[in-house]
Amino acid sequence: MSESSLRLVWVYPDLLSTYGDRGNALVVERRARQRGLGVQRIDVRSDQAVPTSGDIYLIGGGEDRPQRLAAERLRADNNLVRAAENGAIIFSVCAGYQILGHEFINDLGQREPGLGLLDVWTTRGDGARCVGDVLAEVDPRLALPQLTGFENHQGVTHLGQGVAPLARVQTGRGNGTGDGTEGAWRDTVFGTYLHGPVMARNPAVADMLIKLALDVNALPPADTTWYDALRAERIAATRQPA
């Protein structure tokens, strides 16, 4: 990428934007512009080819049938895999997170192949659906503050040896495996179950993606007043007794 331009790709908003995850693209774009960066945001519908020249790719959540359609089209297109091989940053949420793994259970009750960008696989949980606010401590290597978000999924995502948990839950169910893990990451590919949207609740995550795209260790300061108020509100609400 050039020093003054960031190519931000929002993947399949027509299929994978059920829970307001489009807000992640808006926050990353806003946080970049606050630092004086030019941003070219590309919204790629499911009937279009995914460009391979993006810097940051964002994928949201969706319902079961749209998730299957998205996985089919992303496998056929294969450009997201090519972008990852080129070192692009990919951040996925919920259904998008499952698609980045090896397989998940689709709306037909069948095992649906994913893209294999994360060493995870998802089964369908037999117990209560994972719904509610989440607080989680992030992998220290990522140097991020506590995560806050909202989960809503039936899937149970198992982590293989090729990934690390994105975070460990203090409140909530996370990956649903009962081991306290939430999400997964490897190099520049990330997955989480957190909605909210997660970037609005956690602007440091958006800043991390921008730093990775720029290959820098720090960014100039930017106003976080609005984000801090939202974070404080949601963290306080999550910690209140049920």
Side-chain angles (χ1 to χ4, degrees), residues 130-192:
C130 300
V131 181
D133 276 297
V134 175
L135 288 177
E137 294 294 333
V138 185
D139 187 326
R141 290 172 291 176
L142 296 175
L144 292 173
Q146 184 181 52
L147 284 182
T148 169
F150 187 86
E151 62 182 351
N152 184 1
H153 61 97
Q154 190 68 41
V156 176
T157 298
H158 308 268
L159 276 55
Q161 295 297 311
V163 296
L166 179 66
R168 300 262 175 191
V169 295
Q170 297 174 308
T171 302
R173 308 251 315 266
N175 287 322
T177 53
D179 61 359
T181 62
E182 202 297 305
W185 72 285
R186 175 188 62 83
D187 298 329
T188 59
V189 180
F190 303 86
T192 182

Side-chain angles (χ1 to χ4, degrees), residues 70-114:
E72 291 172 353
R73 295 174 190 187
L74 286 169
R75 290 198 309 270
D77 178 71
N78 205 42
N79 277 352
L80 189 61
V81 173
R82 294 189 182 99
E85 291 171 348
N86 291 336
I89 295 95
I90 302 175
F91 189 93
S92 59
V93 176
C94 202
Y97 168 33
Q98 294 180 6
I99 289 172
L100 292 196
H102 298 301
E103 66 178 28
F104 60 92
I105 305 302
N106 65 21
D107 59 309
L108 305 175
Q110 301 168 340
R111 293 161 61 179
E112 182 77 26

